[in-house]
Amino acid sequence: MTELAIIIVSYNARADLEACLTQLHNAPPDVCHTIVVVDNDSSDGSSDAVRTRWPKVTLITAESNLGYARANNMGIRATESSLVLLLNSDTLPPAGAIDQLVTALKASPEAAIAGPRLVDAAGRLEISFGPMLSPFQELWQKCLVRGHRRALPVITEFVEKRARTERYVDWVSGACLLVRRTDADAVGLLDERFFLYTEDVDFCAAARALGRRVLFTPTVEVVHLRGRSGRSNPAARAAAYRQSHLAFYLKHHPGWYPAIRSYHWLRDHLSAR
């Protein structure tokens, strides 16, 4: 049986998808693996490009945009492997990175999930792990992200220091998330109520609820070009974020749901004006 299934969900991101597949072709993992691309009804020729350039890649074409969670689940169900890597189409795993991530997860039997250090094209750190989301933790996370983006020395130093140490965390980013299939099956795969955003936090929370752990390992570094497929339709992206954000709070913090719903209503109302 293939040890690793690499699942790549793509939506109108042909250039990124081709770059990712080229990287995997030029520097393939040593672990016995298969690559599955789930195309969410792209209109930019992504499916044709995969068929033409990478005939050994398994291509699943959806008849509509299924969202991230549902499309990943389709890819997982179409494969048989002991490990599954959820990999964004806008990532570029360097040579050896995937094998190192597999080694890190295998070395931690109590961990269901492992995620690497993510950096942008310039090598700048992305905040790709953290504590379970709540209103206060979200506010703190946004402060860190914005402060780091603006290169505020105190915040940048804090963020960099925190990301140098291998540790167990509450969640790691779904941009590059390695999971044991037994654990993925145990939690029922990704919750398809989340169309886009927060599905990775929820998935990690489900694993932790079963007594398993989530590992962040900075010894593995992967380039992440940060969601360029969503830039062509910012309105749809905002709607997807709102839908998933509300679903997350309804599931995990129902007491906060009315306040979060009011926040989104007010934000949309002010934006419309």
Side-chain angles (χ1 to χ4, degrees):
M1 181 175 69
T2 301
E3 186 173 3
L4 175 68
I6 302 174
I7 313 297
I8 304 172
V9 173
S10 182
Y11 176 64
N12 286 333
R14 177 174 175 173
D16 285 339
L17 176 61
E18 290 193 278
C20 181
L21 291 175
T22 297
Q23 180 74 7
L24 291 172
H25 175 78
N26 292 340
D30 291 331
V31 60
C32 183
H33 67 282
T34 185
I35 300 174
V36 176
V37 170
V38 184
D39 184 74
N40 266 336
D41 194 31
S42 297
S43 58
D44 63 352
S46 294
S47 295
D48 290 337
V50 174
R51 290 190 191 98
T52 302
R53 296 189 60 189
W54 295 280
K56 292 184 179 180
V57 170
T58 299
L59 174 66
I60 300 174
T61 54
E63 295 182 356
S64 62
N65 186 359
L66 304 178
Y68 184 79
R70 187 177 173 190
N72 265 306
N73 287 347
M74 285 183 65
I76 295 171
R77 293 188 181 108
T79 60
E80 294 182 4
S81 59
S82 57
L83 299 171
V84 176
L85 178 66
L86 307 184
L87 189 66
N88 274 20
S89 59
D90 58 1
T91 57
L92 297 171
I98 292 175
D99 291 308
Q100 291 168 9
L101 191 60
V102 168
T103 298
L105 182 60
K106 286 182 176 180
S108 181
E110 64 270 40
I113 292 168
R117 173 186 171 99
L118 297 180
V119 298
D120 65 16
R124 185 175 175 81
L125 176 70
E126 173 184 330
I127 298 176
S128 60
F129 67 93
M132 181 61 175
L133 291 188
S134 68
F136 302 110
Q137 288 295 349
E138 275 201 272
L139 180 61
W140 173 239
Q141 191 83 354
K142 287 179 180 179
C143 289
L144 291 181
V145 169
R146 291 174 182 174
H148 181 54
R149 188 178 298 152
R150 294 173 182 173
L152 299 180
V154 173
I155 292 181
T156 296
E157 182 180 352
F158 173 78
V159 168
E160 290 283 353
K161 182 179 180 180
R162 192 177 65 149
R164 292 191 195 110
T165 307
E166 183 169 282
R167 65 180 69 197
Y168 293 115
V169 295
D170 284 351
W171 60 268
V172 292
S173 171
C176 183
L177 183 154
L178 180 67
V179 59
R180 302 179 197 270
R181 184 177 292 269
T182 52
D183 289 301
D185 289 341
V187 302
L189 306 187
L190 281 78
D191 189 332
E192 296 182 5
R193 283 177 288 183
F194 302 102
F195 186 85
L196 186 66
Y197 302 111
T198 70
E199 66 289 312
D200 45 8
V201 181
D202 174 78
F203 188 54
C204 291
R208 289 189 295 104
L210 295 181
R212 305 290 283 149
R213 306 190 81 172
V214 177
L215 178 70
F216 168 73
T217 176
T219 58
V220 185
E221 188 171 281
V222 171
V223 176
H224 183 208
L225 303 177
R226 297 232 13 114
R228 299 197 297 188
S229 63
R231 295 177 189 172
S232 61
N233 194 339
R237 182 180 179 182
Y241 168 75
R242 180 172 60 251
Q243 174 188 331
S244 293
H245 198 229
L246 288 170
F248 184 89
Y249 274 90
L250 186 60
K251 179 177 180 179
H252 293 282
H253 305 293
W256 279 100
Y257 178 76
I260 298 300
R261 184 176 58 185
S262 298
Y263 160 77
H264 280 290
W265 179 88
L266 180 62
R267 184 177 180 179
D268 292 345
H269 183 71
L270 292 176
S271 297
R273 294 185 62 180

